[in-house]
Amino acid sequence: MASPLPSSLHRLSLLFKPSSPQNHRLLTGFFTRLGRLIKEKAKSDVGKLFSGFSKTRDNLAVIDELLLYWNLADTDRVLDELEEALLVSDFGPKITTKIVESLREDTVAGKLKSGSEIKEALKKSVLDLLTTKGSKTELQLGYRKPAVVMIVGVNGGGKTTSLLAYRLKKEGAKMAAGDTFRAAACDQLEICAERMGCEIVVAEKEKAKAASVISQAVKRGKEQGYDIVLCDTSGRLHTNYSLMEELIACKKAVSKVIPGAPNEILQVLDGTMGLNMLPQAREFNEIVGITGLILTKLDGSARGGCVVSVVNELGIPVKFVGVGEGVEDLQPFDAEAFVNAIFS
């Protein structure tokens, strides 16, 4: 496996240019192909997703034991223990109550007559929640270039951004990267660039404002005919008003260069936080309007139910999930594969 990228990269501006010499091909075709390739990748890498959610699956394994010898007389006891298992995995009280009560009603009504039928109904309930409130899991890149994607979050998302860059580059894009103001990151960026075979674009002066560097990156992307500009503004505590105001400035800077941009605003959330990530997500959403989520470190957590909770609470789709430390471990999110991974 390839070595993981440097973990301390922060606040990047990344530009993607088609590797094909036919730079004037229809953007609709390029973005459609990119979206299709990413979606196909999610389908083909279900094994990686399956192994990445092993701890959550272990937590929920008790459900199989409960349902193995289920009978109607034990319905209340079994459903109470099932409810506890879902709560421990951070499905959240609202979702858990909704799912369990639905199962109870269907069981009493005679619609569910075996343990296997109850489990299938459970999986369907979770899948319906994910597909109803978070259906647009593919990147929405529009129809003109460059498409602009902003990355936001409390935690430094440089590594996640680099992995997303690797994912996009692998599907046919060429990348250039730049740090907004942290001079010490230049050496790290050179390592990143060498591993990815990409150009580096750095801030013109130390401690340059993030909005200024992002504006510079988007202008360059527009002038030189790049397909995608990926801007990392991560590392902002959601309770720090001035830092959050900078995000508004970044978004405005992008829209001044390209009206209607950014096409996507993705928030990086630490999956080990479980339901504690919700206040962060709400705050960022109110400030800049989040269009998608990237949930990381889910391989190290038994709280995978938080994926369902955050989609249900916010109505924001999950676009990618991090299930490891390697460059291949940032996986496009597929709701059906996720449900099958946590309920083996």
Side-chain angles (χ1 to χ4, degrees):
M1 176 182 291
S3 302
L5 295 172
S7 60
S8 54
L9 295 178
H10 295 285
R11 307 171 192 85
L12 308 174
S13 294
L14 306 139
L15 299 93
F16 299 84
K17 193 171 185 177
S19 54
S20 166
Q22 298 175 347
N23 290 346
H24 298 291
R25 67 184 181 273
L26 289 175
L27 264 293
T28 302
F30 173 72
F31 290 141
T32 300
R33 183 179 68 86
L34 183 62
R36 186 183 69 249
L37 287 171
I38 291 175
K39 197 168 186 178
E40 288 173 356
K41 182 67 175 176
K43 294 289 186 183
S44 65
D45 273 359
V46 291
K48 193 173 289 291
L49 194 68
F50 189 86
S51 62
F53 282 100
S54 60
K55 292 187 177 180
T56 299
R57 186 167 58 254
D58 290 345
N59 249 7
L60 296 171
V62 66
I63 293 176
D64 288 329
E65 298 174 15
L66 290 170
L67 297 177
L68 183 61
Y69 301 108
W70 172 87
N71 61 69
L72 189 59
D74 287 338
T75 297
D76 287 337
R77 177 187 63 81
V78 169
L79 291 181
D80 285 347
E81 292 189 37
L82 187 151
E83 179 178 16
E84 183 179 348
L86 293 177
L87 289 171
V88 168
S89 296
D90 261 13
F91 274 79
K94 290 182 181 179
I95 294 176
T96 299
T97 300
K98 181 178 180 179
I99 291 174
V100 171
E101 289 309 309
S102 176
L103 293 175
R104 194 187 307 276
E105 289 175 9
D106 287 347
T107 303
V108 172
K111 296 179 181 179
L112 303 176
K113 300 178 181 179
S114 67
S116 60
E117 288 183 359
I118 292 175
K119 183 175 180 179
E120 287 306 309
L122 168 62
K123 292 171 67 175
K124 184 178 184 302
S125 294
V126 175
L127 183 59
D128 287 347
L129 282 169
L130 289 170
T131 54
T132 299
K133 291 198 171 185
S135 58
K136 294 183 178 179
T137 56
E138 67 278 3
L139 290 176
Q140 306 294 309
L141 300 177
Y143 303 100
R144 60 182 178 181
K145 63 180 178 181
V148 181
V149 179
M150 278 181 61
I151 309 293
V152 304
V154 169
N155 304 300
K159 182 176 181 180
T160 300
T161 304
S162 298
L163 295 181
L164 180 56
Y166 173 84
R167 172 70 64 191
L168 293 170
K169 175 181 176 290
K170 191 175 181 182
E171 307 304 349
K174 188 176 180 180
M175 183 189 83
D179 188 88
T180 58
F181 58 83
R182 204 163 62 87
C186 290
D187 292 340
Q188 297 164 338
L189 282 172
E190 287 177 3
I191 296 173
C192 172
E194 183 178 349
R195 290 180 178 178
M196 289 189 180
C198 68
E199 177 189 349
I200 302 176
V201 180
V202 297
E204 294 180 352
K205 58 182 179 180
E206 190 175 346
K207 295 185 178 180
K209 290 185 178 181
S212 173
V213 177
I214 287 177
S215 177
Q216 176 188 345
V218 176
K219 285 178 181 177
R220 180 173 298 186
K222 185 177 180 180
E223 292 168 357
Q224 298 185 9
Y226 280 68
D227 286 321
I228 303 172
V229 179
L230 183 57
C231 306
D232 187 346
T233 67
S234 301
R236 298 168 189 277
L237 192 62
H238 61 293
T239 55
N240 187 315
Y241 180 77
S242 61
L243 290 179
M244 295 300 281
E245 283 289 298
E246 284 185 7
L247 280 184
I248 298 175
C250 289
K251 185 177 179 180
K252 288 181 177 178
V254 170
S255 63
K256 283 183 180 179
V257 180
I258 302 176
N263 302 80
E264 289 270 19
I265 301 179
L266 306 180
Q267 181 174 3
V268 179
L269 292 170
D270 185 338
T272 62
M273 295 182 63
L275 291 176
N276 292 325
M277 69 173 67
L278 285 172
Q280 292 181 17
R282 288 194 188 99
E283 191 69 28
F284 277 91
N285 190 39
E286 288 179 8
I287 294 294
V288 290
I290 303 300
T291 61
L293 302 169
I294 300 176
L295 303 185
T296 64
K297 303 180 184 178
L298 289 170
D299 58 308
S301 171
R303 307 166 82 178
C306 66
V307 174
V308 187
S309 297
V310 73
V311 171
N312 183 69
E313 290 281 335
L314 303 175
I316 300 172
V318 177
K319 306 275 184 173
F320 293 89
V321 289
V323 292
E325 293 292 321
V327 294
E328 294 281 359
D329 292 332
L330 185 67
Q331 291 291 307
F333 182 71
D334 180 87
E336 186 176 358
F338 165 75
V339 171
N340 289 330
I342 63 173
F343 297 110
S344 61

